[in-house]
Each structure stands twice: as structure tokens, then as C-alpha cells.
Amino acid sequence: MSFCAFFGGEPFRSHFEPGIYICSKCGYELFSSRAKYQHSSPWPAFTETVHADSVAKYEERPGALKVSCGKCGNGLGHEFLNDGLKRGQSRF
């Protein structure tokens, strides 16, 4: 699935069925539905990735990392540091 649907809304924001979210370009496993939670942003929110190498990231600005697929480099959005469900947890 692609996380950044800027036109017409994000179809997976309110999707909470069990499963694995994969890269829309290469099919690599990115996030589990177990790590997904409801958030006020217009995009799906996750606390962690499926694998340590599911995503690649670099600092875009303080507190925000640019995130892409760890296998093919497809852009996925951001990781917001210290903005997860628990103290010190990130939000993807």
C-alpha cells in the first residue's frame, strides 16, 4: 500500500483488519496491523516496523525522519520521534 494518497483521502487510515502492510512498489513487509493505532493525522499511524530493515530513514528536520521502503526506496512518509502512543515512542 502507498501511505501518502494526497488526492481523495487515505483509504487505509480506518482499516484495522489483521494483516501486514507491504510496499506498493516491491511488496516488502513494512508494518503489522498489530502496530497500527488510531491517530488524528489523515494517514495510518504505526508504532514499529515488521523487520529492522523494513524502512530506511534519514533526518529531514529535528524530530522528523524521512522514511522509505528498506528494500526498493519507495517513499513512505515520515517517522515522528516521541509522537507515539507511549512516552519515547515514535509514530510512523
Side-chain angles (χ1 to χ4, degrees), residues 3-92:
F3 291 97
C4 296
F6 293 106
F7 304 104
E10 174 51 63
F12 292 102
R13 179 175 184 256
S14 299
H15 180 86
F16 286 94
E17 293 181 26
I20 300 292
Y21 292 80
I22 63 171
C23 176
S24 63
K25 187 172 180 182
C26 73
Y28 194 56
E29 295 178 334
L30 302 171
F31 303 99
S32 168
S33 59
R34 292 187 313 260
K36 188 172 185 207
Y37 66 98
Q38 192 69 41
H39 190 269
S40 61
S41 73
W43 295 282
F46 301 89
T47 56
E48 61 188 3
T49 60
V50 172
H51 308 290
D53 67 346
S54 288
V55 299
K57 44 193 170 181
Y58 67 88
E59 187 174 27
E60 185 175 66
R61 62 183 183 273
L65 307 176
K66 190 72 172 171
V67 177
S68 59
C69 174
K71 185 174 182 182
C72 73
N74 186 32
L76 301 173
H78 294 86
E79 175 182 357
F80 298 99
L81 306 176
N82 300 311
D83 191 36
L85 287 173
K86 298 176 183 173
R87 184 181 174 107
Q89 195 174 46
S90 290
R91 172 176 59 90
F92 291 86

